[in-house]
Amino acid sequence: GAVVSQHPSWVICKSGTSVKIECRSLDFQATTMFWYRQFPKQSLMLMATSNEGSKATYEQGVEKDKFLINHASLTLSTLTVTSAHPEDSSFYICSARDTPIRYEQYFGPGTRLTVT
Amino acid sequence: DQQVKQNSPSLSVQEGRISILNCDYTNSMFDYFLWYKKYPAEGPTFLISISSIKDKNEDGRFTVFLNKSAKHLSLHIVPSQPGDSAVYFCAANMKTSYDKVIFGPGTSLSVIP
């Protein structure tokens, strides 16, 4: 149980275009979903936290107009990287929590974004 | 300023021996700690956790110890197996207006057959 999927697993896009990444909880309802970014050989950096039906809470330094997060249902959250630049190239990982009581997060497999 | 530190970027251990991964934190507001395991190009997998009111939690080969006074926790893996080779992240939860989990930089564990 507690499976989280991400789509696509990798994507290449041209500079200036937008790309959407989907995160789905397959066998549970996610009260909260998180989006992380990981640079090579570095830790996971939390970008934003989203609860279903409400606006995402962005971490300091993360541009909310550039990284649009939508948590439309209890099983789906999307991250849209708008007007992508090469410096946005990274590994994006989502995670989900199935209850506000437990702290464990279940992670998706990640999406490798390359902006050319 | 890193609130969760893992000062050893890598660790090599012989198969069958004990692996000890260390983690230090600076914020007294952390109320829950977690360890995750990550293989390359995959998302992290939850391993084990411990509440700040406890000092030990055990699950099979994995035991986490928490020393609140020293703001230190450790993950013990006994016996270590080659399949344990991965990057291990220590993470801490902070209760603010929402729960926020902060990850350490990770320790790459290699278990040598």
Side-chain angles (χ1 to χ4, degrees), chain B residues 11-21 61-63 65 74-81 84 109-112:
Chain B
L11 175 68
S12 285
V13 171
Q14 207 73 32
E15 181 179 4
R17 299 288 188 104
I18 183 171
S19 294
I20 300 176
L21 296 101
R61 296 187 298 116
F62 302 93
T63 303
F65 295 92
S74 60
L75 173 68
H76 292 210
I77 306 173
V78 182
S80 301
Q81 300 173 353
D84 295 330
L109 172 66
S110 294
V111 180
I112 304 161

Side-chain angles (χ1 to χ4, degrees), chain B residues 25-101:
Chain B
Y25 61 96
T26 58
N27 197 324
S28 303
M29 299 299 290
F30 291 139
D31 63 350
Y32 204 80
F33 302 90
L34 311 99
W35 283 94
Y36 285 86
K37 175 181 178 179
K38 185 181 183 300
Y39 294 114
E42 291 184 13
T45 304
F46 169 73
L47 263 181
I48 192 169
S49 62
I50 188 168
S51 165
S52 61
I53 62 174
K54 296 190 173 182
D55 55 20
K56 178 182 175 181
N57 188 25
E58 193 171 350
D59 184 2
R61 296 187 298 116
F62 302 93
T63 303
V64 56
F65 295 92
L66 174 62
N67 183 334
K68 277 189 71 176
S69 60
K71 293 192 175 68
H72 176 83
L73 64 155
S74 60
L75 173 68
H76 292 210
I77 306 173
V78 182
S80 301
Q81 300 173 353
D84 295 330
S85 298
V87 176
Y88 289 79
F89 290 100
C90 171
N93 183 82
M94 179 160 55
K95 212 148 188 69
T96 57
S97 55
Y98 58 98
D99 287 312
K100 176 175 172 176
V101 175

Side-chain angles (χ1 to χ4, degrees), chain A residues 34 36 38 41-44 46 49 51 57-59 91 93 97 100 103-110, chain B residues 2 31-32 34 36 38 41-46 49 89 93 95 98-106:
Chain A
F34 307 84
Y36 293 85
Q38 185 181 28
K41 298 190 187 300
Q42 292 190 28
S43 187
L44 299 162
L46 178 64
T49 302
N51 294 295
T57 302
Y58 289 81
E59 293 302 304
F91 193 56
I93 310 176
R97 201 158 65 199
Y103 294 109
E104 292 83 359
Q105 299 175 27
Y106 302 98
F107 283 82
Chain B
Q2 236 177 18
D31 63 350
Y32 204 80
L34 311 99
Y36 285 86
K38 185 181 183 300
E42 291 184 13
T45 304
F46 169 73
S49 62
F89 290 100
N93 183 82
K95 212 148 188 69
Y98 58 98
D99 287 312
K100 176 175 172 176
V101 175
I102 297 173
F103 283 78

